Amino acid sequence: MCTFRDDIAKLRQAGADVVGVSLTDVKSHAEFAEKYHVPFPLLADADRSVATTYGVLTSRMGMHYAKRTTFLIDPQGRIAKVYTDVDPEKNSAQVLADLDTLKAAP
């Protein structure tokens, strides 16, 4: 989350809208956003519907969680790329590079 925060100007310049989604509640998101100065929306998926729809909901020992995954969605609303097993320190740079590739594609 923090690398996306740090790269937000570059991401916006590249035409990206950044949104974070997790299973935690709105209050938790607000506290996290304030603590880490997150400059983009954090959406609460308390009912797990988004995680289920995107196929990232999993569970272990009775605990449900969403696998850390990034989706790059093109201007037509289609998933252009899925980043699984995300390295939080590198993911923002990967997305920026792929945004350039998407723009260059015919």
Side-chain angles (χ1 to χ4, degrees):
M1 190 73 64
C2 291
T3 57
F4 281 92
R5 175 202 61 205
D6 296 345
D7 289 341
I8 194 65
K10 293 178 199 171
L11 289 157
R12 287 181 176 152
Q13 186 175 10
D17 291 321
V18 177
V19 177
V21 182
S22 79
L23 304 181
T24 57
D25 61 27
V26 173
K27 182 179 181 228
S28 175
H29 280 344
E31 291 169 355
F32 183 91
E34 183 177 337
K35 179 177 180 178
Y36 293 101
H37 309 286
V38 178
F40 48 83
L42 300 178
L43 306 178
D45 184 24
D47 69 357
R48 306 176 188 148
S49 62
V50 175
T52 300
T53 299
Y54 280 82
V56 298
L57 185 65
T58 191
S59 63
R60 182 177 294 160
M61 297 170 41
M63 299 281 296
H64 292 284
Y65 63 96
K67 292 181 267 184
R68 188 179 299 240
T69 308
T70 300
F71 293 89
L72 179 57
I73 301 173
D74 71 14
Q76 291 74 38
R78 296 178 302 229
I79 296 173
K81 182 144 187 182
V82 179
Y83 307 83
T84 58
D85 300 320
V86 169
D87 179 338
E89 292 184 20
K90 297 178 181 176
N91 192 221
S92 179
Q94 293 168 322
V95 169
L96 281 164
D98 289 333
L99 283 167
D100 284 341
T101 301
L102 268 179
K103 283 196 228 176

